[in-house]
Amino acid sequence: MKESEFTKIIADLERVENELKTVGNNKEKRQKCYDRLLELRKRMDRYVEYWLLFEEKINDLQERYDFFLPDELPESFLHAFDNIMPSKEDYEEQLTSEEIGREKRGVKPLLLQADNEACIRSFRRGLGFLELAMMDEAIQEFKAVISQEPDLMLPHLCLGVAYAERGMGDEAMRELRLVQALTDDPQTGAIIHNAMGNIYADREEYQLALEEFKKVVELDPEFSVAYFNLGAVYYNLKQYQNSVAAFEAVKDKFPRDWELYFYLGKAFKKLGNEEQALVNLLKSSHLAHQEPFVAFELGLLYDKLGETRKALECYYRARRLYQELEGREMSVDN
């Protein structure tokens, strides 16, 4: 899709908005505006569907051919949720007694029913916004689904994750605990505990966060992000050997994650292993040469190693990067 097409849609939307300001209570004109808005929404929904299909294909290619694209997103929510969403056919043909029991209690499964197209569109848009880290928009879409289908668990789960990413801990806990009470699916549980662990970590309640991340890897040993989170929490608890072990466990899964090497370097430095600290901080600096605190941390290590010239070069680069960052922030504020 060309950028001009997006521009045209936005321009059309603004024209409808201007017309709505003038039509008053004229039902015929209001109906025409409504029809035009509906058509614009359908066009945008179609583009979102293609984007989601594109992302799924990209993820599949990366897994099959073992490569990583620059500036990659975190592990796809679509991929995670595909593993916990049954197909409509499987649900109808293989309904277990446990699932029947839930139906009798008025608890619907994770499946979104195909006959509610409005819910499906909102849910897919919500997932798209999650992928783009547009949490306010994702929250609104998932709330729209829940308002129509309040008994579906999956929108509550996604809403809880979005709230957690947005830093709305209390709201996130409410949604996550609701889903937790209604399902014993291990992969769903892993997603819930990981989100709750992030909430506790944001509150600097690291011991509580540690327990949550431990539960994640117990439920799903392949949940790679949880090991990274464990490493970060162990570091904040000053358990540096455990921190190193957690980061090392998933280093191959995140070969271009500069933060992983940054914290590995700092943990090795705390353990007195300056050789491995240097190796990892250099790797972090190579992957994130624009991050001033990486350059500064590398300078501190060179200083400790007695390599004064290299330390000064790092300090100078860190200072320059900080100044550039402050300049960009000031220009945005103005």
Side-chain angles (χ1 to χ4, degrees), residues 88-104:
K88 192 172 190 293
E89 292 75 18
D90 288 343
Y91 175 68
E92 291 174 346
E93 295 175 7
Q94 301 177 15
L95 195 64
T96 66
S97 59
E98 178 183 3
E99 289 167 328
I100 291 172
R102 288 177 183 165
E103 284 291 284
K104 288 178 179 177

Side-chain angles (χ1 to χ4, degrees), residues 202-216:
D202 288 342
R203 295 173 175 175
E204 298 184 4
E205 298 177 24
Y206 297 121
Q207 193 59 50
L208 291 174
L210 178 64
E211 297 307 314
E212 295 296 334
F213 293 134
K214 283 182 176 180
K215 291 174 184 175
V216 176

Side-chain angles (χ1 to χ4, degrees), residues 18 24 42 47 57 67 85 127 206 209 214 226 248 267 278 306:
N18 291 332
K42 287 180 180 178
Y47 296 133
K57 187 65 176 176
F67 67 88
M85 288 176 63
L127 289 182
Y206 297 121
K214 283 182 176 180
E248 291 282 2
L278 182 59

Side-chain angles (χ1 to χ4, degrees), residues 262-281:
F262 178 70
Y263 284 107
L264 259 178
K266 292 187 68 173
F268 275 121
K269 182 182 174 184
K270 293 288 187 180
L271 292 169
N273 190 336
E274 293 166 350
E275 180 181 353
Q276 283 300 312
L278 182 59
V279 167
N280 283 282
L281 286 176

Side-chain angles (χ1 to χ4, degrees), residues 97-115:
S97 59
E98 178 183 3
E99 289 167 328
I100 291 172
R102 288 177 183 165
E103 284 291 284
K104 288 178 179 177
R105 296 195 304 271
V107 178
K108 295 186 180 180
L110 295 171
L111 178 66
L112 286 172
Q113 300 299 320
D115 59 355

